[in-house]
Amino acid sequence: MNEATPSAEVRTQKLQGLGTARKRVEDVRFTQGKGNYVDDMKLPGMLFGEFVRSPYAHARVKSIDTSAALAVPGVKAVLTAEDLKPLNLHWMPTLAGDVQAVLADEKVLFQFQEVAFVVAEDRYIASDAAQLVEVEYEELPVLVDPFKAMDPDAVILREDIKDQEEVGGHGPRRHPNHVFTWDVGDKANVEAAFDAADVTVEEFISYQRVHPCPLETCGCVASMDAINGKLTVWGTFQAPHAVRTVASLISNIPEHKIRIVSPDIGGGFGNKVGVYPGYVCSIVASIVLGVPVKWIESRMENLSSTAFARDYHMTGELAATKDGRITGLRCHVIANQGAFDACADPTQYPAGFFNIVTGSYDIPVAYLSVDGVYTNKAPGGVAYRCSFRVTEASYLIERMIDVLARKLEIDPAELRIRNFIKKEQFPYQSALGWEYDSGDYHTAMDKALQTVDYPALRAEQAANREAFANGETRSLMGVGVAFFTEIVGAGPIKNCDILGLGMFDSCEIRIHPTGSAIARLGTISQGQGHATTFAQILATEIGLPADNITVEEGDTDTAPYGLGTYGSRSTPVAGAATAMAGRKIRAKAQMIAAYLLEVHDDDLEWDVDRFVVKGAPERAKTMAEIAFAAYNSVPPGMEPGLEAVSYYDPPNMTYPYGAYVCVADIDVDTGVTDIRRFYALDDCGTRINPMIIDGQVHGGLTEALGIALGQEIDYDEIGNIKGGSLLDYFLPTAVETPVWETDFTEVPSPHHPIGAKGVGESPNVGGVSAISNAVNDAFAHFGLTHTQMPHDHWRVWKTAERLGLTG
Amino acid sequence: MISGSFEYHRPKSLDEAVGLLDQHGDDARVVAGGHSLIPMMKLRMAMLDHLIDLQAIDGLKGVREEGGNLLIGAMTTQSELIADPTLAAKCPIMAETALQIADPQVRYCGTIGGNVANGDPGNDMPALMQALDATYIAQGPNGTREIAARVFYEAVFFTALQDNEIITAVRIPTPPDGHGHAYEKQKRKIGDYATAAAAVLLTMSGGRCATAAIALTNVGDTPLYAEDAAAALIGTAVDAAAIDRAVALAEGIASPAADARGPVDFRTKLAGVMVRRAIARALERAA
Ligand SMILES: Cc1cc2nc3c(=O)[nH]c(=O)nc-3n(C[C@H](O)[C@H](O)[C@H](O)COP(=O)(O)OP(=O)(O)OC[C@H]3O[C@@H](n4cnc5c(N)ncnc54)[C@H](O)[C@@H]3O)c2cc1C
């Protein structure tokens, strides 16, 4: 190092690597309206597709008359199941190993199911013509209640598979409307624990059907090049490579002749993981008509037909000693899958990672069983900003702990602390089969409780309760505590695949001669800021400034194969691949530097952005210098160039966790819940970009608020979807959103190359529990154990009324 | 979410607009701010062949006071109502109510004429107009007529307005100085129609309520003018007993639909809560 060399701090700062609040490079275009979304695409000769959808939830399709629609000038084609049959594309596989009708084949199974696809010169003509397609239906009895699905006299929904013994390889079905039973744990030991317990509690806890509702709806442009036989599809895909493989498998087009591109995506939250009839119909229409075909969902189509989330109806039980040691957990779930099982769960996990239901607690024995059933509701079952079914599991245990706390008259925060897995127990083997890699729950909880001054909150609540009893106020204060553990970063190929594709991820790096780089990944950002954060990971690994590194994702012709972005897997898996590929680059760079400096490799050490000779710091080669040398003066026998690729198969999941506290005031006369304070402490391991983490937490908490206080995709008894528009579906705005206080601890994941665990979904998982616990807590002293979400005005008012509190 | 096709007209005068309406009858509608009509057209719940835009017609905008009345042009937007100094001084409940409508974007476009003519019980202005005893001035092929807000609303989307009439202005008797007023609205989120809402106006004299008017939003097929509830306040000191009576009478006329905002019993009770709170605030403000 000579005098001209800036200090290590200055050089580190310049890299904008790990730990810096680097501004999002994406925002330059997003904030100027210069993003490029699917619906911005215009190709010469492009046509537009529009669906004819079923008004009924369950009906036989007697006939379809397309003649009036075809007669409209500008209409090019009207596709029905009959047209898709010869191509064997009238049904398609779902990610859960079930099949789904692309266009209704003989019957419709949910309201707004796709029945025909009208293709026309513009959207307006397509919409007008869609109204002219005449479909004759014969209505059938409708089944919406999942608890009646397996009644002996229940109407059979899926006639196509009624004799099939199992769906998706998940074991025998007990009824034609039964999809699967999934059970985990030791039933007998759990029974013994319950028999021996001082105290047991049981509660029925529903997690209502909701929808991820990204701002951008789903859509695509399919373009078949008749000359070279190559199909290109630009679309709202959270997993472009998986889409390419599925498209190849179902269409028999060779995979190298398919290019899938995800351009900018306006939010996904799980909604854009699956394959939808709109994609298949656009592809077929483009093949048949020889021109590009665009399909874009309306908001109501998005809410009513593509990928809902949750709809889990859970019975939880805990056994404990009188001093509050939990000795067993038992739980049964009825999972309402809708008309087709289109969950995006890894193959071995029909109920996702619901077996994380033991939460953050050292529960010695547990038993879980989940029954999936069909109903006349829209298909889906995606992970709405969470890892597969983790938010349902977390909600159940976090509510159950509160229920047990009431029964034992132990403070809910204290009960959690008594049962936490201790720091020294990690790696911890859970009763339902997971190996928690790391954590320090006690420290996180202590910090949270101290920051919010928890004892003072409880004292204030006691005063509020007295004032309420004396008629001095009509407002009740609730304090909700939640401590969640997520399981993200799916995942190790040994236990995670989707349709047989192992859930690794990838990164490919090329260093340019002048010291800049491009990194391509198998994931795809939908707002997470990958172009910003992955460049930061790499900047720290290879010593080139993040500003000199382009991150590119989403084009299957250029990006390495990956399983995409959902389940907080990008940082744990693709982020790890990025670091590993960066290390390969650095290893080669070290050899080149040694050659240039005429020393042995081992005589060099890494110093922020350069290799220096040990003991002679003035002799150094910066990464930029090495990059140039890689193209003209590599050691004899070495290939020129500086590139690397890494496919990362994670050894384990990662287990982010957090302690959340919510303080709410409830007006018992109006049912209005006001979130007065919300504190969120997250431990996502190594923090790559604190500003982006804050942004992710703010967004996730806002969704959690939406779910806990209002979101619901509801159906009436004949299967009409109620409120499938933003008039009713609760998307909180800035006005409804409280100030989010964020905080952190930092326990790195021991097996991840940089110790990062993922954060995008934690706030949705923990936030719902904290808010719901606060609402329940407000009424707890009146004997309430649980009231169902969403805690919207009328339901809260009804709760107050049932407790005799309304005027 | 794409409307059917239609012909767009942009008349320059009221006569021309009325002429077009008269000519096309049922197949035509006027459009003002478009923030109720266009969504209905996109849902294809309103299918029409002719859309007659009122934007290019002069003289339909603005607020002025004249002979003890406030005259508000039908094309005055909700955001203009909020910013208007005359209304702020003479009838502040107009801005208070307009601020409860939708969000700023909608209020830049939506007009008072469209809001009162629309006939949706969810609209906030109609109940306020009833409480203020407003009159709508309508022009048709045979000239002008006046219709009192309290008799204007017949059923959901049915009003006393004929297909070939256009509302040109709203006339409100200027409320007396020192009147108390409040518009209380509960909604699920910004941009939502009321779960229940109530407008209250009253004057006090010597510690007693001299005049009172109460009307309810979105708890029936039409806005509800709660005459008996208001009468229960008049002559009293607006004490707890009088308020209880008024609330009970208001609840008595509420007949809300059950929808995603809540079941009938909740929305009925909530109407009462809105009335109670509006009375309390109006009383605080009354001189
Ligand atoms: C997201 C959203 C939220 C909303 N929330 C609320 C709310 O909380 N409260 C509320 O009150 N409103 C709400 N609205 C409706 C909004 O206030 C509308 O602007 C208003 O109802 C209609 O006014 P307009 O000028 O837009 O009328 P338009 O939509 O143009 O017309 C509405 C109807 O009135 C007729 N019409 C219009 N002007 C006249 C006239 N001068 N003479 C005769 N007939 C006429 C039209 O033919 C049409 O039938 C909301 C709208 C949106 C989009």
Side-chain angles (χ1 to χ4, degrees):
Chain A
M1 189 156 322
N2 59 42
E3 284 143 36
T5 307
S7 69
E9 291 75 49
V10 170
R11 287 181 287 129
T12 303
Q13 180 58 31
K14 211 174 138 215
L15 293 182
Q16 293 278 296
L18 282 188
T20 29
R22 180 180 186 224
K23 283 198 178 151
R24 288 170 28 117
V25 297
E26 295 89 342
D27 290 346
V28 177
R29 66 178 192 281
F30 290 155
T31 55
Q32 297 183 51
K34 295 279 164 46
N36 180 35
Y37 299 91
V38 177
D39 204 16
D40 293 324
M41 298 215 33
K42 292 188 182 73
L43 297 179
M46 187 169 77
L47 303 175
F48 293 82
E50 171 94 7
F51 279 112
V52 175
R53 293 177 179 277
S54 167
Y56 301 111
H58 195 195
R60 222 169 278 292
V61 177
K62 307 285 283 181
S63 67
I64 303 178
D65 181 353
T66 60
S67 52
L70 280 167
V72 175
V75 171
K76 300 294 181 187
V78 180
L79 302 179
T80 65
E82 288 307 311
D83 302 304
L84 300 181
K85 244 177 221 172
L87 304 165
N88 202 24
L89 284 176
H90 53 315
W91 290 82
M92 62 178 185
T94 70
L95 296 180
D98 194 1
V99 290
Q100 173 174 354
V102 173
L103 291 171
D105 183 22
E106 301 192 5
K107 69 192 282 197
V108 288
L109 285 154
F110 66 95
Q111 193 187 33
F112 299 140
Q113 186 177 339
E114 300 80 2
V115 176
F117 191 67
V118 178
V119 187
E121 278 167 8
D122 64 42
R123 279 182 187 164
Y124 309 95
I125 298 172
S127 286
D128 288 345
Q131 300 233 310
L132 298 175
V133 173
E134 278 174 35
V135 186
E136 197 191 330
Y137 296 98
E138 178 191 314
E139 285 183 70
L140 296 169
V142 172
L143 172 68
V144 286
D145 182 347
F147 289 93
K148 298 196 174 133
M150 292 203 276
D151 284 356
D153 59 347
V155 58
I156 295 175
L157 304 189
R158 293 289 301 279
E159 287 160 277
D160 59 303
I161 54 162
K162 70 173 187 301
D163 301 321
Q164 199 172 300
E165 273 168 24
E166 51 176 46
V167 174
H170 300 310
R173 298 159 75 209
R174 295 199 305 277
H175 186 285
N177 295 331
H178 185 218
V179 194
F180 63 83
T181 297
W182 188 57
D183 65 344
V184 205
D186 187 333
K187 199 172 177 181
N189 271 342
V190 169
E191 245 161 56
F194 274 79
D195 289 344
D198 297 339
V199 195
T200 63
V201 285
E202 177 179 340
E203 198 69 48
F204 173 66
I205 294 173
S206 266
Y207 201 139
Q208 77 274 17
R209 177 175 277 233
V210 294
H211 193 282
C213 196
L215 285 189
E216 178 203 28
T217 59
C218 299
C220 71
V221 176
S223 178
M224 182 65 172
D225 184 330
I227 307 298
N228 63 18
K230 182 150 181 173
L231 171 71
T232 304
V233 189
W234 294 264
T236 46
F237 306 125
Q238 287 182 238
H241 284 95
V243 169
R244 185 183 72 190
T245 302
V246 173
S248 175
L249 290 173
I250 67 177
S251 69
N252 287 321
I253 301 172
E255 202 165 350
H256 70 289
K257 292 280 192 189
I258 301 177
R259 176 179 169 215
I260 303 291
V261 185
S262 297
D264 282 331
I265 295 188
F269 314 116
N271 182 231
K272 294 170 181 168
V273 175
V275 173
Y276 295 123
Y279 305 152
V280 178
C281 288
S282 304
I283 291 170
V284 172
S286 178
I287 293 172
V288 172
L289 298 166
V291 287
V293 175
K294 180 189 273 189
W295 164 74
I296 302 287
E297 276 181 328
S298 72
R299 174 64 56 198
M300 289 169 89
E301 287 179 296
N302 179 252
L303 284 172
S304 60
S305 68
T306 48
F308 77 92
R310 326 293 194 235
D311 218 343
Y312 258 35
H313 308 280
M314 314 177 280
T315 304
E317 290 173 86
L318 288 177
T321 62
K322 356 181 233 308
D323 60 350
R325 283 290 318 180
I326 301 169
T327 52
L329 173 149
R330 186 160 52 197
C331 155
H332 179 256
V333 181
I334 287 282
N336 189 337
Q337 304 292 150
F340 309 99
D341 185 359
C343 288
D345 297 326
T347 307
Q348 296 175 35
Y349 299 91
F353 302 155
F354 192 87
N355 54 338
I356 194 75
V357 67
T358 51
S360 314
Y361 312 104
D362 183 11
I363 301 178
V365 289
Y367 174 73
L368 154 72
S369 70
V370 183
D371 278 303
V373 297
Y374 291 121
T375 62
N376 291 120
K377 292 188 181 185
V382 296
Y384 168 8
R385 205 179 184 138
C386 66
S387 196
F388 318 99
R389 302 294 186 187
V390 170
T391 172
E392 291 93 326
S394 186
Y395 182 61
L396 180 73
I397 183 68
E398 287 308 294
R399 282 272 52 246
M400 287 309 299
I401 296 275
D402 271 23
V403 171
L404 178 64
R406 304 296 170 233
K407 175 117 178 199
L408 290 167
E409 293 176 357
I410 296 175
D411 179 271
E414 170 58 26
L415 186 63
R416 285 176 170 79
I417 292 168
R418 279 188 207 172
N419 287 282
F420 276 155
I421 300 164
K422 295 186 190 69
K423 189 174 158 191
E424 56 275 13
Q425 285 176 282
F426 293 97
Y428 172 82
Q429 199 66 40
S430 82
L432 293 177
W434 294 113
E435 186 185 296
Y436 293 38
D437 65 350
S438 60
D440 181 355
Y441 298 163
H442 286 93
T443 300
M445 187 66 140
D446 284 350
K447 186 172 182 185
L449 297 182
Q450 272 180 34
T451 311
V452 301
D453 196 350
Y454 186 71
L457 287 174
R458 287 294 177 199
E460 186 189 345
Q461 183 183 44
N464 162 264
R465 287 176 173 178
E466 205 177 305
F468 188 91
N470 297 335
E472 293 154 23
T473 178
R474 300 289 296 152
S475 172
L476 286 172
M477 177 178 169
V479 181
V481 177
F483 197 102
F484 66 92
T485 294
E486 257 222 292
I487 169 165
V488 307
I493 296 178
K494 65 177 188 288
N495 43 23
C496 294
D497 72 273
I498 287 189
L499 296 178
L501 303 167
M503 294 183 75
F504 60 84
D505 228 290
S506 58
C507 175
E508 181 192 282
I509 302 168
R510 294 183 194 171
I511 312 289
H512 309 318
T514 53
S516 60
I518 182 163
R520 295 195 170 101
L521 292 93
T523 45
I524 174 71
S525 187
Q526 308 125 37
Q528 293 89 340
H530 290 176
T532 308
T533 48
F534 288 143
Q536 289 182 259
I537 295 176
L538 210 49
T540 297
E541 292 293 339
I542 64 174
L544 294 176
D547 285 347
N548 291 3
I549 301 167
T550 298
V551 173
E552 208 182 81
E553 302 174 304
D555 184 337
T556 57
D557 265 10
T558 55
Y561 204 102
L563 266 282
T565 295
Y566 42 87
S568 279
R569 62 186 301 281
S570 297
T571 296
V573 192
T578 304
M580 298 308 268
R583 286 170 197 182
K584 290 183 188 175
I585 297 274
R586 207 162 90 186
K588 181 168 180 184
Q590 184 164 5
M591 291 190 264
I592 298 172
Y595 175 68
L596 296 174
L597 292 164
E598 298 179 4
V599 294
H600 191 274
D601 292 1
D602 295 343
D603 294 333
L604 293 178
E605 61 190 0
W606 179 248
D607 175 30
V608 183
D609 57 353
R610 64 195 61 205
F611 281 104
V612 298
V613 177
K614 287 179 189 163
E618 70 286 355
R619 298 188 58 209
K621 287 288 169 196
T622 65
M623 197 64 182
E625 290 168 329
I626 299 166
F628 201 78
Y631 292 89
N632 58 32
S633 42
V634 293
M638 179 187 272
E639 286 179 12
L642 197 49
E643 301 189 2
V645 55
S646 166
Y647 281 74
Y648 189 77
D649 175 13
N652 191 357
M653 307 281 186
T654 61
Y655 297 81
Y657 56 89
Y660 289 4
V661 183
C662 171
V663 186
D665 296 303
I666 291 174
D667 180 334
V668 292
D669 292 322
T670 61
V672 174
T673 300
D674 177 46
I675 309 288
R676 184 204 309 177
R677 184 168 186 195
F678 197 103
Y679 168 88
L681 178 148
D682 274 284
D683 193 312
C684 60
T686 304
R687 291 158 58 82
I688 298 166
N689 182 327
M691 186 186 68
I692 286 189
I693 292 173
D694 267 349
Q696 291 287 311
V697 173
H698 288 181
L701 288 175
T702 305
E703 285 178 332
L705 175 89
I707 293 168
L709 297 188
Q711 294 186 349
E712 184 183 25
I713 298 289
D714 195 15
Y715 289 77
D716 70 13
E717 62 286 356
I718 56 163
N720 294 311
I721 184 164
K722 297 201 290 188
S725 88
L726 293 188
L727 179 64
D728 287 313
Y729 195 69
F730 179 50
L731 222 51
T733 71
V735 176
E736 287 81 32
T737 306
V739 172
W740 305 118
E741 265 176 78
T742 58
D743 203 348
F744 67 98
T745 55
E746 194 165 354
V747 175
S749 163
H751 63 76
H752 186 277
I754 63 166
K757 300 192 283 204
V759 75
E761 304 174 326
S762 300
N764 193 322
V765 173
V768 172
S769 303
I771 296 170
S772 183
N773 279 351
V775 171
N776 279 285
D777 182 67
F779 296 105
H781 57 307
F782 296 109
L784 181 80
T785 51
H786 177 74
T787 182
Q788 305 293 5
M789 286 195 295
H791 304 303
D792 48 8
H793 300 168
W794 75 264
R795 283 185 176 88
V796 171
W797 181 85
K798 278 277 176 196
T799 300
E801 190 200 34
R802 268 197 306 276
L803 296 169
L805 308 177
T806 53
Chain B
M1 291 296 280
I2 290 176
S3 89
S5 67
F6 54 86
E7 203 171 318
Y8 175 80
H9 305 267
R10 200 176 173 90
K12 291 259 162 27
S13 73
L14 205 54
D15 284 345
E16 199 189 326
V18 171
L20 282 165
L21 264 187
D22 202 34
Q23 181 188 341
H24 297 295
D26 233 10
D27 295 333
R29 284 273 196 100
V30 298
V31 63
H35 272 58
S36 286
L37 185 55
I38 306 288
M40 298 275 282
M41 290 168 66
K42 287 168 116 184
L43 291 168
R44 298 193 178 217
M45 283 159 72
M47 293 286 273
L48 35 110
D49 297 329
H50 300 273
L51 195 62
I52 304 164
D53 195 336
L54 301 181
Q55 299 285 350
I57 301 172
D58 284 336
L60 292 180
K61 251 184 198 274
V63 180
R64 62 176 201 277
E65 201 183 8
E66 199 177 88
N69 289 306
L70 293 162
L71 267 171
I72 307 175
M75 291 296 284
T76 310
T77 65
Q78 289 146 10
S79 92
E80 286 161 349
L81 297 177
I82 293 166
D84 188 81
T86 308
L87 290 178
K90 302 286 182 174
C91 192
I93 196 172
M94 286 295 288
E96 178 166 309
T97 306
L99 276 167
Q100 289 285 342
I101 295 175
D103 53 46
Q105 284 105 318
V106 172
R107 298 196 294 256
Y108 284 129
C109 291
T111 65
I112 185 162
N115 201 296
V116 301
N118 193 31
D120 181 338
N123 283 128
D124 288 294
M125 283 294 165
L128 176 60
M129 293 301 119
Q130 293 189 334
L132 288 165
D133 198 13
T135 300
Y136 304 152
I137 300 166
Q139 182 153 333
N142 306 321
T144 301
R145 73 179 176 117
E146 300 192 349
I147 314 160
R150 290 179 187 173
V151 300
F152 184 77
Y153 300 95
E154 294 166 356
V156 179
F157 294 123
F158 282 93
T159 68
L161 202 68
Q162 300 297 314
D163 278 349
N164 54 11
E165 288 180 313
I166 294 174
I167 295 181
T168 57
V170 170
R171 193 180 64 219
I172 299 167
T174 309
D177 286 345
H179 73 282
H181 62 88
Y183 190 73
E184 280 284 338
K185 174 177 177 179
Q186 182 159 326
K187 56 190 172 195
R188 294 168 298 177
K189 59 179 174 183
I190 283 296
D192 191 20
Y193 294 91
T195 306
V200 171
L201 287 130
L202 52 78
T203 56
M204 298 296 287
S205 168
R208 303 255 147 205
C209 177
T211 63
I214 299 176
L216 312 176
T217 296
N218 217 18
V219 284
D221 281 358
T222 64
L224 299 175
Y225 178 54
E227 198 170 3
D228 295 344
L233 299 178
I234 297 173
T236 73
V238 194
D239 47 39
I243 295 174
D244 284 348
R245 260 198 313 280
V247 166
L249 288 163
E251 283 175 6
I253 62 166
S255 60
D259 64 12
R261 294 180 184 86
V264 172
D265 57 349
F266 168 63
R267 295 185 66 187
T268 303
K269 276 284 175 200
L270 194 64
V273 175
M274 294 297 107
V275 168
R276 182 181 298 280
R277 292 184 180 181
I279 293 173
R281 268 201 311 126
L283 191 61
E284 255 172 54
R285 287 166 166 173

